[in-house]
Amino acid sequence: MPKDGSMSESKQKILEAASELFLEGGVKAMSVRAIAAKAGVSTIGIYSHFKGKQGILDALFIEATEMVSAAMDAGNGAPTAKAGMMANAEAYLDLAEKHYAHYRLFFGESDPDYTPSEEAQELARAAFMKLREHAAKLHPADASSQDIQETALTFWALLHGFVGLTRHMGAPRAGVADWRALIMRAVEEKLNTYLN
Amino acid sequence: MPKDGSMSESKQKILEAASELFLEGGVKAMSVRAIAAKAGVSTIGIYSHFKGKQGILDALFIEATEMVSAAMDAGNGAPTAKAGMMANAEAYLDLAEKHYAHYRLFFGESDPDYTPSEEAQELARAAFMKLREHAAKLHPADASSQDIQETALTFWALLHGFVGLTRHMGAPRAGVADWRALIMRAVEEKLNTYLN
DNA sequence: CTGACATATATAACACTGTTATGTTTGTCA
DNA sequence: TGACAAACATAACAGTGTTATATATGTCAG
């Protein structure tokens, strides 16, 4: 949520309304008329303050990016590299679960017409860099940049892939008692391959 | 593509037009007016033959499902279980690359308003079952159903996660020389954990 | 204080979307 | 041939994001 001091009252109201609608109903629930009505302003405010719908989506994308970034900070200060990354995984899965609309927006799965701004993209890259720093701790000090990157990408792929599958109608519903346990097992197993 | 004998000329023209537009520009390029114009009919045909836009998306979803299913058949007849699943992975990645719009539709990433029909969902489940049969070959004959399912899900999660990352603006562009090689290494490494 | 300019705002209109309504044409069958 | 169903063309509808037009408010220099 934005701070009061850096934003006019209208702008803030608009963004709050958009965030609430998004959280409740995803991008479908967030027409400019719905946002304006909920904020108690007319639609023109969305154009003057945010340059239109894309600007609203950018603001939400940045929120999503901050959430992902915070998840990548969850492992900070952990006693071991493995414990750090396990904490990152839990935080990431929590994020996906509690803020799925934001998660989907981050992965370009929300609105076929939305392309993140350059600023937004820069923040997404910074979030990946955080993950990469954690991954580096799994490797010896002289490990190649490529190896570290590959580790970070594989970790992320595993998490992201599972998040998608938990909601896919092709994946079995009845046979998976505990998705979280399954995912954490797979992640831990993967991390163990770096410790041997 | 549908067979001539089971479909009227109009219905076929409409579906061909839709497929072409979808392939070129994804769901955004596929308004009912664009489909009708390309097919040389009026929009009403989409309602009488397909019950509307959702019916078009269902037909395309079924195409996507058939593609995924075919990818899961790629490993049939391979000399080892590992070779079979490696072939499945290559076919799956080929599918995602060559038919990305179909792939996204299959994973619910195309159109926030689209929900697959029950028939379409059933086909998606059948595709997963094929993958599961390949995964079973990695395990001893007395392996539990749960273990086999977990293996299939992890394999799929890894592939799906990587497909998503290759297109994510947060993932490094310049640092990954060869995504395919990276993914296949990660998949092979995962498969190797079942062979020890 | 006033005028020029920028920003914010309300409302209407526009162009596009998927869908429904209305009427006509064509095909099937007793 | 008439009744009915399916297919079809076109117009109208209700919703979408956006732009156009006019008005109100805020800022700043002279």
Side-chain angles (χ1 to χ4, degrees), chain B residues 30-33 44 47 52-53:
Chain B
M30 210 179 58
S31 68
V32 289
R33 288 170 178 87
I44 193 65
Y47 296 90
K53 182 82 178 270

Side-chain angles (χ1 to χ4, degrees), chain A residues 90 93 97 162 166 172-186, chain B residues 146 149-150 153:
Chain A
E90 291 273 13
L93 294 172
E97 201 171 298
F162 268 119
T166 60
R173 294 275 145 248
V176 187
D178 186 353
W179 277 102
R180 177 63 69 100
L182 186 166
I183 300 172
M184 294 308 294
R185 263 197 311 275
Chain B
Q146 203 76 350
Q149 184 159 271
E150 193 162 310
L153 285 171

Side-chain angles (χ1 to χ4, degrees), chain A residues 30-33 44 47 52-53:
Chain A
M30 209 179 58
S31 69
V32 290
R33 287 171 178 86
I44 193 66
Y47 296 89
K53 183 82 179 270

Side-chain angles (χ1 to χ4, degrees), chain B residues 3 9 24 36 43 46 60 82 101-102 111-112 115 139 144 156 165 169-170 172 190:
Chain B
K3 296 105 196 152
E9 193 180 331
E24 285 158 25
T43 61
I46 290 165
L60 293 171
K82 177 180 162 181
H102 279 89
D111 182 331
T115 300
H139 292 266
S144 74
W156 197 3
L165 283 193
M169 83 299 296
K190 183 66 201 171

Side-chain angles (χ1 to χ4, degrees), chain A residues 9-46:
Chain A
E9 192 181 333
S10 274
K11 190 173 181 180
Q12 188 173 335
K13 276 184 179 172
I14 290 169
L15 194 51
E16 278 171 7
S19 287
E20 282 173 35
L21 289 169
F22 193 56
L23 199 65
E24 286 157 24
V27 76
K28 276 169 64 185
M30 209 179 58
S31 69
V32 290
R33 287 171 178 86
I35 296 168
K38 195 172 180 81
V41 299
S42 64
T43 61
I44 193 66
I46 290 166

Side-chain angles (χ1 to χ4, degrees), chain A residues 168-169, chain B residues 1-3 7 11 15 19 22 50 53-71 95 99 101-107 114-127:
Chain A
H168 190 62
M169 82 299 298
Chain B
M1 285 282 93
K3 296 105 196 152
M7 206 180 292
K11 189 171 183 182
L15 193 52
S19 287
F22 193 57
F50 293 93
K53 182 82 178 270
Q54 296 285 307
I56 296 280
L57 290 169
D58 260 346
L60 293 171
F61 184 96
I62 287 164
E63 279 183 17
T65 304
E66 283 164 357
M67 290 171 189
V68 171
S69 198
L95 147 66
H99 296 276
H102 279 89
Y103 185 84
R104 284 173 68 87
L105 181 62
F106 185 74
F107 272 95
Y114 174 62
T115 300
S117 65
E118 190 49 48
E119 175 202 0
Q121 295 188 31
E122 195 54 53
L123 290 170
R125 287 190 282 268

